[in-house]
């Protein structure tokens, strides 16, 4: 049964709330919560709609399929990556520290962190969603760094190494909350990880 | 209904196979496959038993609860961590490269990689399993490195940084197979990541 294309979706219960923007945000929040709690495969449009207190038809109306909705959920944490070219502009010899500072500042924000963790959890738990995330990271992060480094195989490899440390920092500090790295101050993390990113961007890599 | 404690579990179908060791290994393999395919929460003792072609009672008999079985599945990928003290013994100034080489050699083995990926996927997908994994990593990896570095807060922090790069390498190269890092040769990875681990172990961290 297709529930798409209904022109006047009704909320199933609850008092009337704000307009379309409000409902859209509530659906996104509910999707984050469901993907995090159930994982991608077990979460359904229906369970997300129930959590958001809207009709399933409204979810389809705004976001299309479950995969489309997941893409929208990923999109918010990836938005900041769009400013990467700006961040990498200027002196390349200090870009490692700027990048580390930017990442830590971003992930220290509770709202960002909550959605980012849900995305990381959901995408790691399933091959399908891992593919969606790899596409995003390749497009939004790797390609921008590769371009800034002038393109080519070595630049690509450097971007991949940068990603390995960034992803590792996010997973251990924010997703797993592994004590010694989760307990470090933002300044300590930037001081420790910045030079690693810098070496991957511009340093000697062949040992 | 409890199915534990049955003394003579029967296989449900299929020809008789090897002894207890064989059945135990088949159950572990099936658990790896189920945890990877379904995630921890959706996988059941029943679905794992069906995949292994044994009675659910036999799974309970060998492994107890689903959490116990997951712990057993984690245990194999964590076994090599037990040789960490040996690996870290000797010259601490070259331990970063030895550690990078050891990790890459291990994860390049298909059997190890398959089980390791299943564990990473399953544990990231659920808060419950993430807790089990954090316990293992803390005990088996962080504590050994901290001890080798002489203990104390700075040693703990160094161990946490080592974990951030190791986990990031495993996630990007083996689990997500992010192209530029997945396509690098083992030697390239060791040459690039070894010095990072070395700096986290013994280098300057305060910028």
């Amino acid at each position: 049964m297709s529930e798409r294309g209904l022109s006047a979706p009704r909320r199933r219960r609850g008092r009337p709330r704000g307009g379309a923007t409000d409902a859209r945000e509530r659906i996104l929040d509910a999707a984050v919560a469901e993907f995090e709690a159930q994982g991608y495969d077990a979460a359904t449009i229906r369970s997300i709609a129930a959590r958001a207190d809207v009709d399933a038809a409204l979810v389809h109306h705004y976001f299309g399929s479950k995969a489309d909705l997941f893409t929208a959920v990923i999109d918010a944490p990836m938005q900041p990556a769009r400013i990467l070219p700006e961040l990498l502009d200027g002196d390349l010899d200090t870009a490692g520290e700027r990048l580390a500072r930017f990442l830590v500042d971003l992930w220290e924000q509770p709202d960002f962190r909550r959605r980012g963790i849900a995305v990381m959890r959901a995408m790691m738990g399933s091959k399908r969603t891992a593919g969606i995330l790899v596409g995003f990271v390749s497009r939004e992060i790797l390609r921008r760094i590769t371009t800034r480094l002038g393109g080519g195989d070595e630049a690509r490899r450097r971007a991949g190494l940068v990603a390995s440390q960034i992803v590792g920092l996010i997973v251990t500090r924010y997703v797993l909350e592994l004590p010694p790295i989760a307990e470090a101050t933002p300044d300590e993390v930037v001081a420790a990880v910045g030079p690693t990113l810098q070496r991957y961007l511009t340093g000697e890599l062949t040992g």
Side-chain angles (χ1 to χ4, degrees), chain A:
Chain A
M1 178 183 86
S2 168
E3 293 174 320
R4 299 187 63 171
L6 298 185
S7 58
R10 288 165 305 117
R11 293 201 186 86
R12 293 187 314 174
R13 57 181 182 276
R15 61 180 175 76
R17 308 198 199 182
T21 309
D22 182 59
R24 206 177 174 282
E25 279 304 303
R26 264 191 300 138
I27 292 167
L28 277 175
D29 281 346
V32 170
E34 278 293 297
F35 286 136
E36 186 172 9
Q38 311 288 338
Y40 180 81
D41 289 331
T44 64
I45 291 282
R46 198 165 291 276
S47 69
I48 290 164
R51 196 186 273 259
D53 197 17
V54 299
D55 256 16
L58 194 65
V59 179
H60 283 297
H61 173 72
Y62 281 130
F63 296 101
S65 69
K66 184 167 80 169
D68 297 332
L69 177 54
F70 186 74
T71 300
V73 167
I74 284 188
D75 198 51
M78 284 293 162
Q79 284 291 352
R82 308 240 152 86
I83 74 155
L84 265 183
E86 210 172 309
L87 186 83
L88 294 170
D89 256 9
D91 190 0
L92 201 54
D93 291 335
T94 53
E97 191 188 326
R98 289 203 301 281
L99 187 52
R101 173 67 63 192
F102 169 74
L103 278 166
V104 169
D105 283 351
L106 197 60
W107 280 83
E108 296 297 321
Q109 297 170 29
D111 279 357
F112 181 87
R113 188 196 305 208
R114 191 172 52 86
R115 197 168 283 189
I117 290 172
V119 167
M120 294 295 286
R121 277 196 197 287
M123 68 85 194
M124 288 280 298
S126 143
K127 280 181 188 167
R128 212 171 325 166
T129 48
I132 301 177
L133 190 96
V134 165
F136 265 89
V137 170
S138 298
R139 208 161 50 241
E140 304 297 339
I141 299 180
L142 297 179
R143 208 171 59 186
R144 285 165 210 266
I145 294 173
T146 304
T147 300
R148 176 65 182 91
L149 295 177
D153 281 352
E154 189 189 313
R156 264 184 92 240
R157 195 163 130 244
R158 289 182 181 277
L161 287 163
V162 167
S164 82
Q165 176 64 83
I166 289 177
V167 168
L169 178 64
I170 291 170
V171 169
T172 52
R173 180 173 169 92
Y174 300 107
V175 181
L176 296 179
E177 299 186 51
L178 204 63
I181 189 90
E183 290 161 6
T185 67
D187 285 350
E188 284 169 345
V189 171
V190 171
V193 169
T196 298
L197 300 182
Q198 187 61 49
R199 183 171 147 266
Y200 290 159
L201 288 170
T202 60
E204 177 60 61
L205 294 183
T206 48

